[in-house]
Amino acid sequence: MFSGIIQAVGKIENISERTAGKRLKIVSQNLDFADVKLGDSIACNGVCLTVVEFDKNQKYFCVDASPETFRCTVGLENIGGVLNLEKALRVDERLGGHIVSGHVDGVGEVIKFDAIGDNRLLEIAAPQDLAKYIARKGSITINGVSLTTNVVENNNFQINLIAHTLENTTLHTLAPGKKVNLEVDVIARYCERLLAEQK
């Protein structure tokens, strides 16, 4: 599990073909590698991936991504791509964002990315089947970042991005037309399941 509080930004240095899928080498000068172990989970742009190789001195780790992962997400496909990184939570850590599984529910499209002083007004069109899970003042994860919605209308929603978020994540690179990974609040999915069982 994750919190959606980004710990570092990384860059895809290399992508190599595997028998099934691809191996990504991700470099990050700011990620704390002190407690990284083989088999650990690291969310990369909101996608939970498993560390299969790492070097704490050279500041890189490798993950394997399946064809299904590439089919369902964006941001992992290009060498040079920048990624939001978050190591999996420990039980004694503060939950500063919200409960995030690292399982991308769908891909949205940026409609607006307007400057408001140092902040940005971000509007995203979500896939129609995800829209019902998005509520005003609710939590949503965009490229691994835990955020709060301010306006929800049909399948579009808006978020105000503060300067700190823009400076410490890759979200400052967004622009209209760009695709993003979305994960809806897991509580909404459990509520839907419970209500369905009562019918």
Side-chain angles (χ1 to χ4, degrees), residues 3-25:
S3 69
I5 303 300
I6 301 306
Q7 297 167 332
V9 171
K11 180 182 286 188
I12 301 173
E13 185 176 86
N14 187 58
I15 300 176
S16 56
E17 296 290 337
R18 306 287 292 171
T19 305
K22 299 178 181 181
R23 177 163 293 183
L24 282 65
K25 180 180 179 181

Side-chain angles (χ1 to χ4, degrees), residues 84-97:
N84 294 315
L85 303 177
E86 182 190 356
K87 296 181 290 186
L89 286 171
R90 297 193 305 260
V91 293
D92 61 343
E93 288 183 314
R94 180 181 296 163
L95 184 61

Side-chain angles (χ1 to χ4, degrees), residues 45-47 69 71-74 102-109 124-131 133-134 140-144 157 179-184 189:
N45 262 20
V47 184
T69 297
R71 188 186 71 80
C72 297
T73 67
V74 292
H103 302 154
V104 173
D105 291 307
V107 173
E109 181 177 341
I124 292 176
Q128 190 63 47
D129 60 337
L130 289 186
Y133 301 110
I134 302 170
I140 192 161
T141 308
I142 300 174
N143 282 354
F157 63 93
K179 306 289 188 180
V180 292
N181 294 322
L182 301 177
E183 181 184 332
V184 297
R189 288 198 175 277

Side-chain angles (χ1 to χ4, degrees), residues 109-116 119-125 140-143 145 147-151 156-162 165-166 171-178 180 182:
E109 181 177 341
V110 176
I111 304 301
K112 289 181 184 177
F113 192 65
D114 297 341
I116 304 175
N119 298 344
R120 293 292 184 275
L121 173 65
L122 173 63
E123 182 172 341
I124 292 176
I140 192 161
T141 308
I142 300 174
N143 282 354
V145 184
L147 296 163
T148 302
T149 59
N150 290 319
V151 175
N156 286 18
F157 63 93
Q158 292 183 355
I159 288 170
N160 289 322
L161 297 175
I162 62 172
T165 301
L166 295 165
L171 297 187
H172 66 275
T173 66
L174 296 181
K178 197 157 187 179
V180 292
L182 301 177

